[in-house]
Amino acid sequence: MTLAVLRKELAVLWSSSLPYVVGAAFQAVLGVLAVNQLEVRGQAVIQPLFPIAGFLLLFTLPVLTMRSFAEEARTGTLDLLLAIPVAPRPLVVGKWLAAWLSSLVVLAPAALVAGLLAMWGDPDPGPAVSGFLGLSLLAAALAGVGVLASACTSSQPVAAMAGVFAVLVLWFAHAGTATVEAGGLVAALSLSERLRTFAGGAIDTADVAYFATVAAACLGAAALAVDLRRWR
Amino acid sequence: MIVLDGLCRSFGGRPVVRNVSFSVGPGEVVGCLGPNGAGKTTTMRLLLGLLRPSGGSACLGGPAGYLPEVFAAYDGLSVRAYLRFVARMKRLPAATVERALDAAQVREIADRPVGRLSKGQRQRVGLAQAVLGEPPVLVLDEPTIGLDPAQVVEARALVRASADAGAAVLVSTHLLAEAAAMCDRVVVLVGGAVVAEERPGDAADLEARFLRLVATAELT
């Protein structure tokens, strides 16, 4: 059932112009900023690409996921599924998988930068592999947050804004924590700090577990939010 | 079989469905009539588990086919792809899709995207997804809305055929002539409560009785 939802979501999403527009905007901005970084540094290194791409994903994923539940709730197609009855979990997981896979497609052309750098210089391949793995895991977590935001409202703009706001808070969770007691605990929630490890060429299982936990927690909450619609 | 027993639902302390009890047997078409805001759609949503009741219970004798008052599908999918998706969700074999295409007479538009269909064509797709797999229970909210006269006749025939095949059918409608033509029995809701449950008779007779019932209930 999850697979059927995934296939439907991919078909519906990619039959609209949204992922193409979002993907083009993502690559255009990433390309300009990445080239700028290369010029400033004067080195064929890929590491600066990852925080930029990660930050752009904060806006990309909530836009890709905003319609997942909000649009279905607004049009009434969600009611048809719940009346069958389809349990919330396969719906949530199918929609999350579709958003995650779509974000990987949007992200994929950025790998060309690694290829171009390899042509012009001799960059270390380790950070490239770990960096893209980190971006993939970040996208999984962001897709979870986006699906949760969409499950909590019937308005796509509200879902997108709530999703962006939530992931921005998580991205900058480390800011100012050095001066606060127990700041280290809050800083550990920072998405950007977790991504920094991957961009540096290291794969820490704690970071992998963190991204997976954010995604899983959001999906659990989203399934609950869908179920709670009955209580309204 | 559909059984509603003392069903109640309030929104913000305001009762919308009040102690509604009736049943629909296999092979029976029961019409749910009432003025706007009478609680017909809420009753159907309670029945389908889309809302939790504040009191009472609703029981369906098997999986239900549901057509909401405003039917929507996924604009980017073709009619056939949409019905295949619904079939997978209902865990039905793919062959049921072809039968539903014929039953709702949407085969000629099966490969067109749902987003490019007229209102009437969309409504027929809605009927197709409701009867997909020939469920033992059908819950149809205004099933003929947006259909032209010929399509209305076909939709009535489809509902009748489903009942003749053993389905319990609950139909909500504003059209008294339609209720008279299609239903074995009608349940009249006013202010969220059942005020009458009887055979529809002919359309003119039903209209006179309906207006009298609504006027009396609103006075009390």
Side-chain angles (χ1 to χ4, degrees):
Chain A
M1 197 169 281
T2 301
L3 193 62
V5 175
L6 167 64
R7 288 172 61 180
K8 186 273 287 179
E9 284 293 311
L10 288 174
V12 170
L13 181 63
W14 288 90
S15 68
S16 74
S17 57
L18 183 73
Y20 304 99
V21 172
V22 167
F26 178 89
Q27 292 300 334
V29 176
L30 180 64
V32 168
L33 295 177
V35 167
N36 176 259
Q37 281 294 314
L38 290 175
E39 284 175 353
V40 168
R41 289 166 186 260
Q43 291 177 305
V45 289
I46 197 167
Q47 285 91 331
L49 178 93
F50 299 118
I52 298 169
F55 189 71
L56 291 176
L57 283 177
L58 302 186
F59 302 92
T60 305
L61 262 301
V63 172
L64 284 178
T65 55
M66 65 182 180
R67 51 156 294 285
S68 60
F69 278 104
E71 179 69 0
E72 294 229 27
R74 188 187 66 79
T75 59
T77 50
L78 184 59
D79 280 351
L80 283 169
L81 294 175
L82 296 178
I84 284 175
V86 177
R89 193 185 298 176
L91 284 178
V92 166
V93 175
K95 285 170 182 289
W96 169 76
L97 276 173
W100 185 31
L101 291 176
S102 297
S103 71
L104 296 184
V105 172
V106 166
L107 191 59
L112 285 175
V113 175
L116 291 173
L117 287 176
M119 283 170 58
W120 292 328
D122 187 23
D124 182 0
V129 173
S130 65
F132 278 107
L133 176 65
L135 284 178
S136 305
L137 292 169
L138 173 68
L142 299 179
V145 175
V147 167
L148 171 59
S150 187
C152 294
T153 176
S154 302
S155 163
Q156 290 190 59
V158 170
M161 284 191 291
V164 167
F165 181 74
V167 296
L168 278 173
V169 168
L170 283 175
W171 182 262
F172 290 113
H174 64 288
T177 51
T179 59
V180 183
E181 202 174 333
L185 191 66
V186 180
L189 300 175
S190 169
L191 292 170
S192 56
E193 291 298 301
R194 299 284 183 174
L195 182 64
R196 186 198 298 268
T197 314
F198 287 96
I203 299 173
D204 188 336
T205 49
D207 296 328
V208 175
Y210 175 70
F211 286 129
T213 302
V214 170
C218 287
L219 297 188
L224 189 63
V226 172
D227 213 24
L228 285 176
R229 286 177 177 275
R230 294 190 172 101
W231 292 99
R232 290 178 183 173
Chain B
M1 185 77 175
I2 299 171
V3 180
L4 293 84
D5 184 13
L7 208 57
C8 299
R9 172 74 196 204
S10 300
F11 289 116
R14 187 175 67 89
V16 175
V17 174
R18 295 185 295 168
N19 200 30
V20 169
S21 300
F22 65 87
S23 62
V24 185
E28 196 177 21
V29 181
V30 171
C32 192
L33 308 182
N36 286 334
K40 304 186 294 291
T41 296
T42 304
T43 300
M44 289 187 154
R45 291 173 63 77
L46 288 166
L47 177 62
L48 292 160
L50 298 173
L51 290 171
R52 300 268 189 217
S54 313
S57 63
C59 179
L60 296 172
Y66 172 48
L67 177 65
E69 186 175 7
V70 181
F71 170 74
Y74 308 104
D75 288 353
L77 297 187
S78 70
V79 172
R80 182 178 270 113
Y82 169 66
L83 292 176
R84 281 185 181 158
F85 168 67
V86 177
R88 286 191 200 103
M89 292 292 100
K90 291 185 174 182
R91 300 180 189 277
L92 296 170
T96 56
V97 170
E98 300 305 315
R99 287 204 294 275
L101 286 171
D102 290 329
Q105 302 191 329
V106 288
R107 181 170 290 284
E108 75 276 13
I109 56 169
D111 296 318
R112 285 172 59 183
V114 174
R116 293 189 189 164
L117 301 180
S118 69
K119 191 177 177 186
Q121 287 171 328
R122 278 177 187 244
Q123 190 69 0
R124 281 155 61 200
V125 174
L127 279 167
Q129 64 81 31
V131 300
L132 193 65
E134 292 139 24
V137 174
L138 277 177
V139 179
L140 310 173
D141 199 350
E142 305 284 355
T144 58
I145 202 162
L147 299 181
D148 65 34
Q151 291 167 346
V152 168
V153 172
E154 289 162 4
R156 282 179 194 163
L158 177 59
V159 170
R160 192 70 258 170
S162 298
D164 290 345
V169 185
L170 180 62
V171 182
S172 164
T173 181
H174 277 104
L175 306 173
L176 299 178
E178 183 173 295
M182 190 163 40
C183 301
D184 302 310
R185 193 155 47 89
V186 293
V187 174
V188 182
L189 287 177
V190 180
V194 175
V195 295
E197 186 175 347
E198 53 199 25
R199 301 190 78 79
D202 66 50
D205 182 38
L206 178 62
E207 186 176 307
R209 281 183 288 141
F210 176 78
L211 292 174
R212 197 165 55 244
L213 279 167
V214 171
T216 307
E218 285 178 345
L219 276 175
T220 55

